Amino acid sequence: MFIQTEATPNPATLKFLPGRDVLPGSTLEMKEPAEAARSPLAQKLFAIEGVAGVFYGSDFITVTKSAGEWQHLKPAILGAIMEHYLSDAPLLSEGGEAEAAGEEFFEDADAETVDTIKELIETRVRPAVAMDGGDITFRGFREGVVYLNMKGSCSGCPSSTATLKQGIENLLRHFVPEVQEVRPV
């Protein structure tokens, strides 16, 4: 088994590509060891000193470090991922389902605008963000402001504000004149 790694815009995260599905059609973010009880692989990753977060995408795993250098952490992380996939153990424990989308908020009168915003996020934003080891999902729309939830390598990334303001906000404002601003939740 060959696991590829890719740098992300966030220097505290590294993206691991095991060459097979990880969590198709969904995502799961675990920001602390207590949340890892839902996944045997995440438990192994959090057991590595310096690992501070684990994010599962459709075909990748993003690991966030709190301390240490990648040159020291990477071999242990690769070993844990390889061991997990070679054991054929499930990614999620019984009852450890992926994240629900979360409750959205917007006025009924804005439903058509929200549909357009969601379509743009799904087709243009999420694929690009997934390439960087993260995910962005729609949370709400109120008074011209779009609220987005940032996960994986996007959460805490130094360039996430620029991505939101220059990238996503400009895209949405171009296609949806009602959008005035984009904010993280």
Side-chain angles (χ1 to χ4, degrees), residues 2-184:
F2 179 71
I3 302 169
Q4 295 180 345
T5 59
E6 292 180 0
T8 71
N10 185 345
T13 65
L14 200 56
K15 182 177 173 183
F16 296 83
L17 298 130
R20 51 183 77 177
D21 286 343
V22 176
L23 199 58
S26 190
T27 62
L28 178 61
E29 183 171 45
M30 294 158 281
K31 293 183 175 183
E32 55 188 57
E35 295 174 319
R38 44 202 314 197
S39 170
L41 174 56
Q43 289 175 330
K44 290 178 186 171
L45 292 171
F46 272 108
I48 299 168
E49 189 174 337
V51 170
V54 176
F55 176 79
Y56 296 149
S58 60
D59 64 349
F60 65 89
I61 300 160
T62 301
V63 177
T64 303
K65 68 179 180 123
S66 60
E69 298 297 324
W70 282 119
Q71 64 193 19
H72 301 298
L73 293 168
K74 191 172 161 182
I77 293 168
L78 286 167
I81 294 170
M82 187 173 297
E83 182 182 303
H84 172 79
Y85 279 101
L86 293 176
S87 74
D88 284 329
L91 183 69
L92 302 177
S93 308
E94 268 314 299
E97 61 277 338
E99 294 176 343
E103 194 168 327
E104 298 176 352
F105 58 90
F106 58 90
E107 300 294 324
D108 290 340
D110 293 327
E112 192 173 315
T113 300
V114 167
D115 286 344
T116 303
I117 292 168
K118 288 167 125 180
E119 173 75 17
L120 288 166
I121 291 168
E122 284 297 318
T123 59
R124 297 184 182 222
V125 177
R126 287 185 80 195
V129 171
M131 290 177 61
D132 285 337
D135 194 20
I136 293 182
T137 54
F138 175 84
R139 288 302 313 238
F141 178 72
R142 184 176 293 133
E143 299 175 3
V145 179
V146 177
Y147 296 88
L148 300 175
N149 187 15
M150 303 173 74
K151 300 183 264 186
S153 66
C154 295
S155 181
C157 177
S159 62
S160 65
T161 302
T163 299
L164 274 178
K165 293 296 179 187
Q166 280 101 33
I168 300 167
E169 185 175 293
N170 287 343
L171 171 80
L172 292 177
R173 290 174 79 180
H174 176 77
F175 288 101
V176 186
E178 296 85 354
V179 172
Q180 298 170 11
E181 185 181 358
V182 174
R183 293 184 193 163

